[in-house]
Amino acid sequence: MKHFKILILSVLLLSGLTLKAQTTTKHTFALGDSTFLLDGKPLQIISGEMHYTRVPREAWRQRMKMAKAMGLNTIGTYVFWNVHEPQKGHYDFTGNNDIAAFVKIAQEEGLWVILRPSPYVCAEWEFGGYPYWLEKEKGLVVRSKEPQYLAAYKKYLMQVGKQLAPLQVNHGGNVLMVQVENEYGSYSNDKDYLDINRKMFIEAGFDGLLYTCDPEAAIKDGHLPGLLPGINGIDNVDKVKKLIKENHQGKGPFFIAEWYPAWFDWWGTKHHTVPAEKYVSKLDSVLAAGISINMYMFHGGTTRAFMNGANYNDTNPYEPQISSYDYDAPLDEAGNATDKFMKFREVIKKHLPEGQTLPEVPAAKPVIDIPAIELNQSVNLFNILPAAKINSTPLTFEDLNQAYGFVLYRTTLNGAKSAILKIQDLRDYGIIYINGKKAGILDRRLNQDSLMVTLPKGKVTLDILVENLGRINFGPYLLKNTKGITDKVTLGQTELKNWQMYSLPFDDINKVVFKGGKILSATPQLKKGSFNLSKVADTYFDMSKWGKGTVWVNGHNLGRYWNVGPQQTLYVPAEWLIKGHNEVVVLELIKTEQSTLNAVKIPVLNAIPQ
């Protein structure tokens, strides 16, 4: 028996060594004249973008299995600076931010990874991925050679390198290549800055294949000679080849770094959808030509909490994006195959290497509705204010060391007058209260900054609750992204002074203490209820009868809702529900009389009130 035990132990040790050898096999990945070369053999990358931050960690593997079932061999993802360094010098690569675990799970599922860890990501993400605290550094200029920016960027990138550089294919991992910067040619054309990026990536340990990506109009400005130029937004085979050859010594490989089978949404406008038929023949021609491709997005997921970005320029209004990042992508927000998925799968099957087959498409995930949930505990937001910070003039979110959420601005006035109240450079949404009664709403989307108010006699309390609806994520206004009341408030011709400011970031809803019963008040309220489940499955909270706010389930922030549409439901992942007792909290800003919440089986992503 003793010898038998030794034999078994030896076999186990040898098995472990063999497994370790299999998982640390180093590959070569190089550029051929027309194709990528993996271990010297042609590899056509068929990739889909999927962001770890937009999918519950518990669901990463399921989404990757769906990617395999559609025929993808690669997953593309950005790396988001503001989730990994939320405060200067404080790094987080845990839980849903564990990007290394995401990459390793992809390897276990037989998928390669294209990594996009540049500090700027765009991605319809808050501040384009930059952490809010960069706005606090006086003189700092993002996407430039300004020393403070480069120093902060380098420290962050070194941390990313520790997590991800060992996972490159040339070190035994599954990361095929790494993107330097992101569509930089749409922003500027400083090749020295791009080369600084390249050198920092190498110093951080990214010693494999580096590349850049830009749209057609920007590829000359955004490409760094010596690196592969990827092309975004073009699927004409001849044009793709021509553009890449012009910027790469007349050679390939040919890589569409972002191919858009649909688009994203913002509040107050219709849900964007594009029929699969419009793209089937284009995908077919691209794959037939041997061109590699990354679909943006294969699976969008959800931009939860307060992490959505916004668009803004001199001709378009401020446009904050919605919480759903369904994107009309092949894999929907909940991770189910769509008609687009099935049609793309049929195209990809035609171009598989000989002898390769696709897994069967898993059945749609189960979904449940939930009987009406009564939110029978509540608290008035104005009754749970933290200690105030006091200043003569309003302080921004950044001044208050606050990234996201809300700030309540309060001052006291002499009453008995009517005048125009104006908030200079409100960012982004302000509800005005006079002695606790709502006087009006100002919305940056609608270019609103003033309203007529009537003050009663005596001393009057003026409250302005300001919500950060998302920092701009694209264009020249990246440098103008402070939030809150960013200038001054006037009443008539008088500038209002002596402000108290209350930070309400709502970064931990479990800290709020609730009381039983309803509150009859027009000021914002937090409402809490519970429900029991005999089984867990995906569902959607129907917010169409509510006004504006945020929802949490079992402590997880599901995102924003707003009755202006087009999104009227919030996706509730099965992974965040529990058999038995569940709790839900709603922060409602406008329709504070609401106290019943319903859950439905089908999302509503395209309903705008008439």
Side-chain angles (χ1 to χ4, degrees), residues 51-54 77-84 121 123 125 129 156:
H51 301 149
Y52 57 104
T53 53
R54 285 176 157 133
T77 185
Y78 284 120
V79 183
F80 299 85
W81 188 354
N82 52 13
V83 303
H84 294 302
V121 300
W125 193 264
Y156 161 69

Side-chain angles (χ1 to χ4, degrees), residues 396-417:
T396 66
F397 277 53
E398 292 73 17
D399 293 331
L400 297 167
N401 296 318
Q402 182 178 338
Y404 318 115
F406 304 79
V407 171
L408 180 68
Y409 295 83
R410 174 174 288 172
T411 191
T412 302
L413 312 173
N414 292 317
K417 67 181 76 169

Side-chain angles (χ1 to χ4, degrees), residues 179-237:
Q179 180 183 296
V180 173
E181 248 286 356
N182 185 51
E183 295 189 321
Y184 178 68
S186 297
Y187 187 80
S188 189
N189 59 0
D190 188 339
K191 304 293 185 180
D192 290 339
Y193 165 70
L194 283 174
D195 197 49
I196 290 170
N197 276 255
R198 180 187 65 82
K199 290 174 181 175
M200 278 203 286
F201 270 64
I202 293 170
E203 188 176 347
F206 294 109
D207 55 358
L209 182 58
L210 304 178
Y211 76 101
T212 61
C213 78
D214 291 279
E216 178 183 7
I219 191 168
K220 288 184 178 179
D221 287 339
H223 171 240
L224 182 64
L227 301 188
L228 174 72
I231 185 72
N232 291 357
I234 302 291
D235 51 22
N236 178 288
V237 168

Side-chain angles (χ1 to χ4, degrees), residues 20 34 128 161 258 260-261 277 307 340 368 379 445 466 476 482 492 495 516 552 602:
K20 186 176 181 181
S34 60
E258 291 188 10
Y260 310 114
E277 289 76 13
M307 298 309 293
K340 191 173 288 182
I368 56 174
V379 63
R445 295 177 313 123
V466 177
T482 52
E495 181 178 354
W552 293 259
I602 300 174

Side-chain angles (χ1 to χ4, degrees), residues 384-458:
I384 57 168
L385 298 176
K389 292 188 178 179
I390 299 171
N391 199 62
S392 175
T393 56
L395 298 174
T396 66
F397 277 53
E398 292 73 17
D399 293 331
L400 297 167
N401 296 318
Q402 182 178 338
Y404 318 115
F406 304 79
V407 171
L408 180 68
Y409 295 83
R410 174 174 288 172
T411 191
T412 302
L413 312 173
N414 292 317
K417 67 181 76 169
S418 295
I420 297 288
L421 179 74
K422 181 172 182 177
I423 305 175
Q424 189 73 34
D425 288 336
L426 169 67
R427 299 179 186 165
D428 301 295
Y429 183 87
I431 310 177
I432 293 90
Y433 301 88
I434 295 172
N435 287 345
K437 294 182 178 180
K438 186 167 69 176
I441 295 173
L442 298 178
D443 185 345
R444 184 184 181 189
R445 295 177 313 123
L446 307 177
N447 292 318
Q448 297 171 338
D449 66 358
S450 57
L451 76 162
M452 176 66 73
V453 296
T454 298
L455 306 183
K457 294 180 181 178

Side-chain angles (χ1 to χ4, degrees), residues 13-26 172:
L13 285 171
L14 285 171
S15 298
L17 289 171
T18 303
L19 179 61
K20 186 176 181 181
Q22 288 174 344
T23 57
T24 57
T25 300
K26 295 180 181 180

